[in-house]
Amino acid sequence: MSRIETSIQLREVTPDGKPVQQAYQAWIEDGNSNGLLFDDPLEREDGTIYSAEEIQLYRLMHLAAGGPPENDSFRLRLNDEQPDKLERMADAFTTHPDTYKAIGADEREPIEHSDLLEYILYDFAGLDTNTPLHDLWLDRLLAGSHDQGDAVLGIVESNEFITSTFDEVAKLEFSSFIARFNDENDDGLLYDASVEVGDGPVLSAEEAQLYRLYLGAMERIPETEGFLWWLDKMRSGEKNLTDVAAGFIHSTEMTQLMDTDQNGAVAHSELLNHLYGTVLDRAPDQAGWDWWMQELESGAKNQAEVLNAFAQSNEFAETTLQIVGDYNFLDLIQ
């Protein structure tokens, strides 16, 4: 194998405040011509290059964390100059409580060789069950020629594991920068969930709702002054989120975005076209379109309520989670 590559989506904000997903190619090429990829750097089309050492460490920590590792922890490990740091980490992985929990093993007993291999190869890496790596390492473990730490590191540095996990590793993200929902109500709805960003700040549900409304209504991140003005009105009880949505709909900025026939009024169809195309970023499904149009035409819902429903939907909350978690403001990036 001489090269693997993938297309990755990186979050960026344009100078005019529009959040975009920018596509880049990423690749690892066998520059050593030894048929192995673990000792080669990762390169990205945006000019970023990560050394083989960085990628080796990231792959192992990605496995240990069950996802992107914390930035501070990664940098600390990277600065560890002991030559056996990867071996020590692999050994620690086989006895860590989180590994036992992920596998569902009894902490009072050593993890079974087959359970460890199946978790790494099938559950985490998603390799086919007929991969020769399973039998290769099981035979070595049973023979006693290698221990479980050897197996972990050997698999993580194999071409098969590197290829299978490349789509995720190529993004090189860290949990310190990755936002997540905290659904305190445990109701499966995300509009009323706060947003946590790594081990750092927590955005209240109210802050996240208002930020999402800017993204959905105006197709941009908010400016600080306007955001704080609306947030203050919401916190004081003077305005609720539907009031804010109504203010946006009647604004010149949003009207210009929606009023495609330029007659000075926003028709229900123009609103729905905007919401499906901007908020959900997809073509409308006919059943959904018909239902929302009926709600609007019957007066069961007004345009502000429909805007708010789209902007606070689970679908939009999930797709904008990282942008909301960045909590950037237009006037601060210019």
mmCIF file of all heavy atoms in Angstrom, residues 181-196 204-206 209 212 314:
data_model
loop_
_atom_site.group_PDB
_atom_site.id
_atom_site.type_symbol
_atom_site.label_atom_id
_atom_site.label_comp_id
_atom_site.label_asym_id
_atom_site.label_seq_id
_atom_site.Cartn_x
_atom_site.Cartn_y
_atom_site.Cartn_z
ATOM 1 N N PHE A 181 -23.859 18.220 23.715
ATOM 2 C CA PHE A 181 -25.079 18.616 24.389
ATOM 3 C C PHE A 181 -25.128 18.025 25.796
ATOM 4 O O PHE A 181 -24.649 16.910 26.029
ATOM 5 C CB PHE A 181 -26.304 18.129 23.622
ATOM 6 C CG PHE A 181 -26.508 18.798 22.301
ATOM 7 C CD1 PHE A 181 -26.294 18.114 21.117
ATOM 8 C CD2 PHE A 181 -26.923 20.128 22.239
ATOM 9 C CE1 PHE A 181 -26.488 18.731 19.898
ATOM 10 C CE2 PHE A 181 -27.111 20.759 21.022
ATOM 11 C CZ PHE A 181 -26.900 20.058 19.848
ATOM 12 N N ASN A 182 -25.708 18.762 26.704
ATOM 13 C CA ASN A 182 -25.997 18.250 28.038
ATOM 14 C C ASN A 182 -27.512 18.322 28.213
ATOM 15 O O ASN A 182 -28.062 19.342 28.620
ATOM 16 C CB ASN A 182 -25.289 19.078 29.111
ATOM 17 C CG ASN A 182 -25.514 18.524 30.516
ATOM 18 O OD1 ASN A 182 -26.037 17.418 30.669
ATOM 19 N ND2 ASN A 182 -25.142 19.270 31.529
ATOM 20 N N ASP A 183 -28.177 17.235 27.871
ATOM 21 C CA ASP A 183 -29.642 17.188 27.889
ATOM 22 C C ASP A 183 -30.129 16.937 29.309
ATOM 23 O O ASP A 183 -30.457 15.810 29.684
ATOM 24 C CB ASP A 183 -30.129 16.099 26.927
ATOM 25 C CG ASP A 183 -31.643 16.057 26.798
ATOM 26 O OD1 ASP A 183 -32.297 17.007 27.274
ATOM 27 O OD2 ASP A 183 -32.162 15.088 26.226
ATOM 28 N N GLU A 184 -30.148 18.004 30.113
ATOM 29 C CA GLU A 184 -30.498 17.868 31.529
ATOM 30 C C GLU A 184 -31.897 17.282 31.728
ATOM 31 O O GLU A 184 -32.159 16.580 32.705
ATOM 32 C CB GLU A 184 -30.431 19.229 32.234
ATOM 33 C CG GLU A 184 -29.036 19.848 32.288
ATOM 34 C CD GLU A 184 -28.784 20.807 31.135
ATOM 35 O OE1 GLU A 184 -29.510 20.722 30.114
ATOM 36 O OE2 GLU A 184 -27.863 21.641 31.249
ATOM 37 N N ASN A 185 -32.792 17.560 30.785
ATOM 38 C CA ASN A 185 -34.167 17.077 30.918
ATOM 39 C C ASN A 185 -34.327 15.639 30.456
ATOM 40 O O ASN A 185 -35.370 15.019 30.692
ATOM 41 C CB ASN A 185 -35.127 17.972 30.132
ATOM 42 C CG ASN A 185 -35.114 19.399 30.643
ATOM 43 O OD1 ASN A 185 -35.091 19.621 31.854
ATOM 44 N ND2 ASN A 185 -35.120 20.367 29.736
ATOM 45 N N ASP A 186 -33.301 15.115 29.772
ATOM 46 C CA ASP A 186 -33.310 13.737 29.287
ATOM 47 C C ASP A 186 -34.590 13.426 28.513
ATOM 48 O O ASP A 186 -35.211 12.375 28.698
ATOM 49 C CB ASP A 186 -33.145 12.766 30.466
ATOM 50 C CG ASP A 186 -32.747 11.358 30.010
ATOM 51 O OD1 ASP A 186 -32.141 11.242 28.937
ATOM 52 O OD2 ASP A 186 -33.064 10.382 30.727
ATOM 53 N N ASP A 187 -34.994 14.379 27.669
ATOM 54 C CA ASP A 187 -36.233 14.207 26.923
ATOM 55 C C ASP A 187 -36.001 13.967 25.435
ATOM 56 O O ASP A 187 -36.947 13.886 24.651
ATOM 57 C CB ASP A 187 -37.146 15.430 27.112
ATOM 58 C CG ASP A 187 -36.458 16.746 26.723
ATOM 59 O OD1 ASP A 187 -35.324 16.691 26.209
ATOM 60 O OD2 ASP A 187 -37.056 17.809 26.943
ATOM 61 N N GLY A 188 -34.728 13.855 25.041
ATOM 62 C CA GLY A 188 -34.407 13.619 23.636
ATOM 63 C C GLY A 188 -34.490 14.854 22.776
ATOM 64 O O GLY A 188 -34.194 14.796 21.586
ATOM 65 N N LEU A 189 -34.892 15.990 23.367
ATOM 66 C CA LEU A 189 -34.973 17.252 22.633
ATOM 67 C C LEU A 189 -33.725 18.070 22.927
ATOM 68 O O LEU A 189 -33.307 18.170 24.079
ATOM 69 C CB LEU A 189 -36.225 18.025 23.032
ATOM 70 C CG LEU A 189 -37.557 17.310 22.770
ATOM 71 C CD1 LEU A 189 -38.712 18.132 23.310
ATOM 72 C CD2 LEU A 189 -37.737 17.042 21.277
ATOM 73 N N LEU A 190 -33.157 18.665 21.888
ATOM 74 C CA LEU A 190 -31.886 19.362 22.039
ATOM 75 C C LEU A 190 -32.029 20.870 22.171
ATOM 76 O O LEU A 190 -31.084 21.538 22.579
ATOM 77 C CB LEU A 190 -30.969 19.033 20.856
ATOM 78 C CG LEU A 190 -30.662 17.536 20.672
ATOM 79 C CD1 LEU A 190 -29.796 17.323 19.435
ATOM 80 C CD2 LEU A 190 -29.984 16.966 21.906
ATOM 81 N N TYR A 191 -33.195 21.410 21.840
ATOM 82 C CA TYR A 191 -33.345 22.867 21.876
ATOM 83 C C TYR A 191 -33.196 23.406 23.289
ATOM 84 O O TYR A 191 -32.766 24.543 23.495
ATOM 85 C CB TYR A 191 -34.696 23.284 21.294
ATOM 86 C CG TYR A 191 -35.856 23.146 22.260
ATOM 87 C CD1 TYR A 191 -36.271 24.235 23.027
ATOM 88 C CD2 TYR A 191 -36.528 21.932 22.406
ATOM 89 C CE1 TYR A 191 -37.330 24.118 23.918
ATOM 90 C CE2 TYR A 191 -37.577 21.813 23.287
ATOM 91 C CZ TYR A 191 -37.985 22.901 24.045
ATOM 92 O OH TYR A 191 -39.019 22.773 24.934
ATOM 93 N N ASP A 192 -33.550 22.584 24.297
ATOM 94 C CA ASP A 192 -33.476 23.049 25.680
ATOM 95 C C ASP A 192 -32.266 22.474 26.418
ATOM 96 O O ASP A 192 -32.218 22.479 27.647
ATOM 97 C CB ASP A 192 -34.761 22.703 26.437
ATOM 98 C CG ASP A 192 -35.069 21.199 26.447
ATOM 99 O OD1 ASP A 192 -34.348 20.438 25.780
ATOM 100 O OD2 ASP A 192 -36.040 20.798 27.123
ATOM 101 N N ALA A 193 -31.288 21.995 25.651
ATOM 102 C CA ALA A 193 -30.073 21.440 26.255
ATOM 103 C C ALA A 193 -28.968 22.494 26.248
ATOM 104 O O ALA A 193 -28.828 23.267 25.301
ATOM 105 C CB ALA A 193 -29.609 20.204 25.481
ATOM 106 N N SER A 194 -28.194 22.529 27.318
ATOM 107 C CA SER A 194 -27.023 23.392 27.326
ATOM 108 C C SER A 194 -25.928 22.752 26.467
ATOM 109 O O SER A 194 -26.023 21.584 26.093
ATOM 110 C CB SER A 194 -26.526 23.611 28.755
ATOM 111 O OG SER A 194 -26.188 22.375 29.362
ATOM 112 N N VAL A 195 -24.912 23.527 26.149
ATOM 113 C CA VAL A 195 -23.818 23.048 25.297
ATOM 114 C C VAL A 195 -22.518 23.166 26.073
ATOM 115 O O VAL A 195 -22.165 24.243 26.545
ATOM 116 C CB VAL A 195 -23.738 23.854 23.984
ATOM 117 C CG1 VAL A 195 -22.506 23.455 23.183
ATOM 118 C CG2 VAL A 195 -25.002 23.655 23.158
ATOM 119 N N GLU A 196 -21.815 22.059 26.206
ATOM 120 C CA GLU A 196 -20.530 22.038 26.889
ATOM 121 C C GLU A 196 -19.419 21.956 25.854
ATOM 122 O O GLU A 196 -19.547 21.256 24.850
ATOM 123 C CB GLU A 196 -20.444 20.848 27.842
ATOM 124 C CG GLU A 196 -21.510 20.871 28.936
ATOM 125 C CD GLU A 196 -21.433 19.656 29.843
ATOM 126 O OE1 GLU A 196 -20.583 18.779 29.579
ATOM 127 O OE2 GLU A 196 -22.222 19.580 30.797
ATOM 128 N N SER A 204 -25.507 28.223 28.080
ATOM 129 C CA SER A 204 -26.851 27.883 28.529
ATOM 130 C C SER A 204 -27.720 27.545 27.326
ATOM 131 O O SER A 204 -27.417 27.916 26.184
ATOM 132 C CB SER A 204 -27.468 29.047 29.296
ATOM 133 O OG SER A 204 -27.739 30.130 28.415
ATOM 134 N N ALA A 205 -28.822 26.846 27.568
ATOM 135 C CA ALA A 205 -29.755 26.529 26.489
ATOM 136 C C ALA A 205 -30.250 27.798 25.825
ATOM 137 O O ALA A 205 -30.410 27.863 24.599
ATOM 138 C CB ALA A 205 -30.928 25.717 27.039
ATOM 139 N N GLU A 206 -30.463 28.840 26.626
ATOM 140 C CA GLU A 206 -30.945 30.120 26.113
ATOM 141 C C GLU A 206 -29.936 30.744 25.152
ATOM 142 O O GLU A 206 -30.298 31.230 24.074
ATOM 143 C CB GLU A 206 -31.189 31.053 27.296
ATOM 144 C CG GLU A 206 -32.152 32.176 27.039
ATOM 145 C CD GLU A 206 -32.521 32.899 28.321
ATOM 146 O OE1 GLU A 206 -31.642 33.047 29.207
ATOM 147 O OE2 GLU A 206 -33.675 33.307 28.437
ATOM 148 N N GLN A 209 -29.883 28.655 21.945
ATOM 149 C CA GLN A 209 -31.084 28.881 21.137
ATOM 150 C C GLN A 209 -30.967 30.167 20.330
ATOM 151 O O GLN A 209 -31.271 30.202 19.130
ATOM 152 C CB GLN A 209 -32.307 28.953 22.053
ATOM 153 C CG GLN A 209 -32.716 27.626 22.658
ATOM 154 C CD GLN A 209 -33.674 27.799 23.826
ATOM 155 O OE1 GLN A 209 -34.052 28.915 24.176
ATOM 156 N NE2 GLN A 209 -34.079 26.694 24.426
ATOM 157 N N ARG A 212 -28.370 29.825 17.524
ATOM 158 C CA ARG A 212 -28.909 29.035 16.411
ATOM 159 C C ARG A 212 -29.895 29.858 15.583
ATOM 160 O O ARG A 212 -29.963 29.724 14.358
ATOM 161 C CB ARG A 212 -29.613 27.780 16.938
ATOM 162 C CG ARG A 212 -28.717 26.596 17.163
ATOM 163 C CD ARG A 212 -29.505 25.318 17.341
ATOM 164 N NE ARG A 212 -30.314 25.340 18.545
ATOM 165 C CZ ARG A 212 -29.907 24.938 19.742
ATOM 166 N NH1 ARG A 212 -28.678 24.476 19.908
ATOM 167 N NH2 ARG A 212 -30.711 24.975 20.777
ATOM 168 N N ASN A 314 -33.992 19.309 16.318
ATOM 169 C CA ASN A 314 -32.831 18.449 16.568
ATOM 170 C C ASN A 314 -31.915 18.393 15.357
ATOM 171 O O ASN A 314 -30.684 18.371 15.484
ATOM 172 C CB ASN A 314 -33.295 17.032 16.932
ATOM 173 C CG ASN A 314 -33.670 16.897 18.392
ATOM 174 O OD1 ASN A 314 -33.846 17.887 19.107
ATOM 175 N ND2 ASN A 314 -33.815 15.674 18.852
#
